[in-house]
Structures are given as structure tokens and as C-alpha cells.
Amino acid sequence: MTVMAERASSQLSVDMFERIAEFAEREDETVRFEFIDGRIGLKKVTNGNHNTITMWLIRQCMRARPELDLNPLQGLKVEAYRKGRARPDGVLAPVDHFVGQGEWADPRGVLMAVEITSYDSDTHKRDRVEKPRAYAEAGIPVYLLIDRDNLSILVHSDPDLDDGYRDIHVVRLGGKVTLPDPVRIELDTEELKQYAD
């Protein structure tokens, strides 16, 4: 991003960001924007392995907790005072939770946000630094990061507005992990090893 674009995004209001994101999506369906820390970020189109991991996780959630949906399309209002906009790879919430909420939903009632790392230069800052802080500030109880670079699953829990997630549990791909309350789903990640690229 150029210096001029960074300055513009740092002065951007949430309303202006939403108009820009809506316009961009109408013009090119492969473009998705986020607005975190007062900065516009581009969420790139995913590859087949990324999408396969998303679908695997959707199936696991449906089997374990059929009363919940893992929505791969829902945008969320995040950060303190809801001034950020994020597009998680998945948002776990009760069935029909997002009815009538629109493109950018309030995070209240969301049980878990999911991100799957992409192979781009922003993945460290976005998925490992900014997103955990934003989701914790929004009060989302669990943040699940499937980290293909490091061949691991990171389960963030116990969110705090000031400290972020106070508990981070790391499991190597191939291991079993239990997602804490309120999610309460056990994942055997052996199958994911083949999708790590």
C-alpha cells in the first residue's frame, strides 16, 4: 500500500469504508476488503486447499453441533466500539443468528471466529496479530487459527478487551484438539495435514 493510500485509510470513516467495499465487490466478485486498526486490508481469493479446509471444518461443526452454523461469508463488526470490519473464514453461531443483520453483523452471540492462513505477505500481521486482537476486543469467546505455514492449530480463548486472548493452546496438525466452551467441539486434525500445501 502506498503512503498516500495508508494516510487515506487512516482517516477513513467506517461508513466510507463500507461504501468502498460494497462498490469493489459489485465490480469484482473476487475482491473482499476488511477494515482493522483503521486500515483497509484486502482479503485475497483463496485457493483450493484453503477452501477444502473450510469445508472440512463446516462438516465437523455440523456433525458435532447441528444447532450451530459455521458461516464462511459473514462479515463482522469488530474491535472496541465496533469500528472495524472483518471477514473471517468462518463464523460459528446459532442457526439463523445472522438473519436480518446484513453484511456486517454485530458479534454478540458469535461463539467462534475462524481464520485459515493464506500464502501472502500480510498473513502474519493480519491472522496472527490484528485478527486475534480485534476478535478479543469484540468479545468473541474462541478464535481458531489454522496456520498452514506453521502446520499447527491455535485455539485462542478467554478474551479480554485490554489483553486480547489470555489463553492460546497450540496443537500440531495431525493432533486432536478440543475447542473450549462455549464451542465444545473436538477436532481430529490428521486429515488437514494433506491440505497444508
Side-chain angles (χ1 to χ4, degrees):
M1 189 181 272
T2 66
V3 172
M4 184 183 240
E6 280 189 30
R7 270 194 215 123
S9 69
S10 69
Q11 299 169 2
L12 201 61
S13 71
V14 172
D15 290 337
M16 180 60 76
F17 163 75
E18 288 181 355
R19 287 195 295 267
I20 290 168
E22 184 179 338
F23 172 78
E25 192 172 322
R26 273 196 319 267
E27 295 299 310
D28 183 352
E29 63 189 34
T30 65
V31 173
R32 297 286 186 272
F33 286 114
E34 297 179 302
F35 190 58
I36 298 177
D37 282 342
R39 182 178 66 84
I40 292 178
L42 179 64
K43 184 135 184 173
K44 295 187 178 186
V45 176
T46 58
N47 66 17
N49 286 357
H50 186 286
N51 296 339
T52 300
I53 292 170
T54 302
M55 294 309 299
W56 174 86
L57 190 55
I58 289 170
R59 287 191 304 277
Q60 303 310 307
C61 292
M62 287 177 67
R63 282 187 202 124
R65 302 281 308 271
E67 76 280 13
L68 302 176
D69 280 338
L70 183 66
N71 188 327
L73 303 173
Q74 184 63 58
L76 292 177
K77 297 175 183 176
V78 295
E79 298 182 310
Y81 312 111
R82 311 298 186 251
K83 291 185 179 184
R85 300 292 182 267
R87 291 192 181 281
D89 289 319
V91 179
L92 187 69
V95 170
D96 293 336
H97 180 75
F98 296 113
V99 171
Q101 290 203 47
E103 183 175 4
W104 304 105
D106 189 295
R108 280 180 294 199
V110 170
L111 307 180
M112 178 174 72
V114 177
E115 295 292 349
I116 302 163
T117 58
S118 300
Y119 296 111
D120 61 44
S121 61
D122 285 345
T123 201
H124 174 72
K125 184 175 182 185
R126 181 184 59 243
D127 296 335
R128 297 182 190 107
V129 178
E130 294 174 342
K131 294 281 187 87
R133 186 175 60 246
Y135 296 147
E137 286 179 3
I140 297 172
V142 177
Y143 169 51
L144 176 65
L145 175 61
I146 299 175
D147 191 330
R148 297 188 296 166
D149 294 320
N150 295 318
L151 302 176
S152 60
I153 304 281
L154 288 83
V155 180
H156 300 71
S157 60
D158 194 15
D160 180 78
L161 183 62
D162 297 319
D163 298 332
Y165 287 102
R166 291 182 281 207
D167 184 30
I168 302 172
H169 183 71
V170 181
V171 175
R172 299 290 295 164
L173 279 186
K176 291 183 180 178
V177 63
T178 300
L179 304 176
D181 283 339
V183 179
R184 298 184 318 275
I185 295 174
E186 184 176 302
L187 300 174
D188 181 347
T189 67
E190 180 65 32
E191 188 178 344
L192 295 185
K193 291 186 338 189
Q194 64 187 316
Y195 309 127
D197 292 336

